[in-house]
Amino acid sequence: MVTTHASDKETTVFSGLIDLDFGKVVCGIGKFVTGYVSAASSRGVVIGLSGGLDSSVAAKLCTLSLGKDRVCGLILPSSITPKRDIDDATDFANELGIKHKVIDIRPILDRFMEVLPADKRAEGNLAARVRMSILYHFAYTKKNLVVGTSDKSELYIGYFTKFGDGGADLLPIADLYKIQVRALGRFLGLPPNILEKKSSPQLWKDHLAEEELGITYETLDPILHLLVDVKLTVRDAAKQLGVPISQVKKVQEMMDRSAHKRNRAAIAFIHG
C-alpha cells in the first residue's frame, strides 16, 4: 500500500524542499554540464529518453546548456513499453529540436532470454543494462558522454539498476529529490503529460515506482532530506516529521541495503 496522507510537519518540510531559486539551479547545472563536457574534450552528450519526468528534465537542461546540436536522445522501448511513453519521448525530443532515434530492444532481449533463466526482475534489470550498453555504443561512436537521469531520491534508496540506468558519465539532476525535479520541470515548462505522469522504470508491465516502494515521493523525500542532509537519527526524523518511526526505519533500511550500488567495487588491498 502506498502512503498518501501527510502530517502538518511533513508538509512544512516538503514545502521547504521545493522552495528553491530554480533560475539559480538551472544556471548551476548548466555550468556543471558545460564544464564537465569541455574538460572531457567531448563533442556532446547522449541521453536515454523514456518519456518520463527525470529524463525529460535532464534533456532540457543539457539542451539549454550545450545547444540542441550537441545533444542526442535515444528512445529504447521494449515489449512492455507503453506507446504513450514512446510518443511522449519522441514529441519532447522534437520540441527540444535535438537529434533522436528510436531503437526497439526486443530482439536483443529475446536473444539473451533464449539462453538465460526466466526471472521477471532479472529480465527487467537486463533491459536497463542493454539500454545503457546502447547508449555507450552511440556515445563512443560520436565521441560523446552519457548523461544519467537518476535523481537524488533514486540514488539514496538504490532505486536504479547497477550498471544499467545507474551507469553514466555525469548526473545533472542527482542532487535534486524527485519532488524538486518535478518542481524544476514546471519551472522549465515541460508538457503536462510528462509532468503529471507517475514515475515508472518500466522494467515490467504496469510497473509503477511508488507502488513497488510502498511510499509516495511526497513522503519519502522529506524523510531522506532529514536523514541525508540534516543527518538526523531515525527517531529524531520521525519526531520532526510526525510520521511513524517504522516508516523512517524502512527508508533507512533501503539506504543501507543499497549502499553497495553507490560505491565502487570493493578492492582487497594486500600491500599494506
Side-chain angles (χ1 to χ4, degrees), residues 77-115:
S78 69
S79 60
I80 56 90
T81 305
K83 183 179 183 299
R84 184 186 70 169
D85 286 355
I86 301 171
D87 292 341
D88 287 347
T90 303
D91 290 345
F92 191 63
N94 285 327
E95 179 180 317
L96 293 177
I98 62 174
K99 301 181 293 290
H100 57 281
K101 185 178 182 65
V102 179
I103 301 175
D104 189 342
I105 67 170
R106 282 180 293 183
I108 302 171
L109 293 175
D110 288 346
R111 289 300 297 272
F112 268 108
M113 296 316 301
E114 287 175 6
V115 296

Side-chain angles (χ1 to χ4, degrees), residues 13-23 25-26 29 53-54 57-58 61 151-154 156 172-188 190 195 217-218 220-222 224-226 228-229:
V13 176
F14 174 95
S15 299
L17 280 175
I18 61 175
D19 185 21
L20 297 175
D21 182 343
F22 285 111
V25 170
V26 171
I29 293 176
L53 175 69
D54 288 346
V57 169
L61 291 168
D151 58 53
K152 193 170 183 176
S153 309
E154 295 169 341
Y156 273 92
I173 61 171
D175 197 33
L176 296 171
Y177 292 108
K178 179 73 76 178
I179 60 174
Q180 294 173 320
V181 176
R182 198 172 299 280
L184 175 57
R186 292 192 186 95
F187 176 83
L188 292 171
L190 264 63
L195 276 175
Y217 284 107
E218 287 76 14
L220 171 66
D221 288 350
L224 282 173
H225 168 62
L226 294 185
V228 174
D229 305 319

